Amino acid sequence: MPKSRERYSDSFSGKTDIEIRKILSECDESDEKAVRTKKLMLNVINNELTSRQKHIIMLYYFCGMSIKDIAVRFSVTPQNISAIIKRARIRLYRVLKYYM
């Protein structure tokens, strides 16, 4: 009997995704560290990611689009979008780790 395929999940639930959403959400303007981190992350997104990664990250984190909707927009599979987001997050953290 063949194994059934695992169903695709449309959301990341890991600690990394939660932290990115927390940083990119509205931060307290009086918290200098939070403001600095947000500005740094936006600079990294704009300057260090590929144009495709940047576009997908913007749609996912800033526009609130689901992975499935982004996949339809780019005419690729949701798994492909998930992989692109994962690579972009890894790149973000590598660069941020250097600056922090």
Side-chain angles (χ1 to χ4, degrees):
M1 192 161 152
K3 288 185 178 181
S4 64
R5 296 180 77 184
E6 289 185 34
R7 292 195 172 260
Y8 176 74
S9 172
D10 189 22
S11 63
F12 291 106
S13 58
K15 183 179 176 189
T16 304
D17 192 57
I18 292 168
E19 291 299 318
I20 290 174
R21 287 185 188 279
K22 189 166 74 172
I23 291 168
L24 294 177
S25 67
E26 294 296 320
C27 63
D28 184 13
E29 296 297 323
S30 64
D31 185 2
E32 258 184 61
K33 185 177 179 181
V35 172
R36 182 174 166 257
T37 304
K38 184 176 180 178
K39 285 181 182 179
L40 184 59
M41 186 172 280
L42 290 172
N43 282 336
V44 172
I45 289 170
N46 286 322
N47 299 321
E48 299 293 330
L49 300 180
T50 67
S51 62
R52 187 173 185 138
Q53 287 174 336
K54 177 180 160 182
H55 195 177
I56 290 171
I57 288 291
M58 292 298 193
L59 290 173
Y60 185 71
Y61 287 109
F62 293 96
C63 297
M65 287 182 71
S66 70
I67 291 175
K68 290 179 183 177
D69 292 338
I70 297 170
V72 169
R73 186 176 193 157
F74 281 89
S75 300
V76 296
T77 65
Q79 291 82 359
N80 188 286
I81 297 299
S82 178
I84 290 170
I85 291 172
K86 182 177 180 179
R87 285 190 299 272
R89 289 188 325 197
I90 290 170
R91 178 75 176 161
L92 278 171
Y93 274 100
R94 283 184 183 159
V95 173
L96 287 174
K97 193 166 117 178
Y98 175 76
Y99 287 106
M100 300 183 107

